[in-house]
Amino acid sequence: MGKGIPLNDQDRIPWLCNLHDILLRDVASGQRVVLACSALKKTYRDILTQGKDGVALKCEESGKEAKQAEMQLLVVHLSGSFEVISGRLL
């Protein structure tokens, strides 16, 4: 991006997987997490919540098999003209 070359999906997927891992770690430790990013495609949002392989977020307890982590995800999608959204942000 610094060179003016836009990212493609191959560039974004490892970054999204890394964010997924961070969410996984923080949710598993009982933290409340807010992630703000422009995950514009549903595929990107799916990777954030389910990882690259489509497996839902899980947490591991020491010495026990993995169990499903309780995670509440709220996706906010701003829809409107530039003028409307910028006016509301102001």
Side-chain angles (χ1 to χ4, degrees):
M1 285 179 23
K3 296 178 183 178
I5 301 170
L7 298 177
N8 60 31
D9 285 351
Q10 286 181 320
D11 298 321
R12 287 184 181 98
I13 288 174
W15 173 72
L16 293 166
C17 289
N18 188 42
L19 291 174
H20 165 79
D21 292 344
I22 293 168
L23 289 171
L24 175 70
R25 180 196 66 213
D26 291 350
V27 168
S29 70
Q31 295 184 50
R32 294 184 179 187
V33 181
V34 174
L35 171 68
C37 70
S38 58
L40 299 175
K41 293 182 179 179
K42 182 177 183 322
T43 305
Y44 300 164
R45 296 187 297 274
D46 289 345
I47 291 172
L48 288 171
T49 59
Q50 300 175 8
K52 186 177 179 183
D53 298 324
V55 179
L57 284 177
K58 293 185 178 184
C59 64
E60 293 185 24
E61 294 182 359
S62 57
K64 296 182 181 180
E65 62 183 69
K67 70 174 190 177
Q68 188 75 24
E70 290 185 24
M71 182 174 137
Q72 182 177 25
L73 175 68
L74 174 64
V75 176
V76 177
H77 177 179
L78 299 177
S79 179
S81 69
F82 176 82
E83 293 77 18
V84 168
I85 292 173
S86 63
R88 291 180 181 174
L89 289 173
L90 290 173

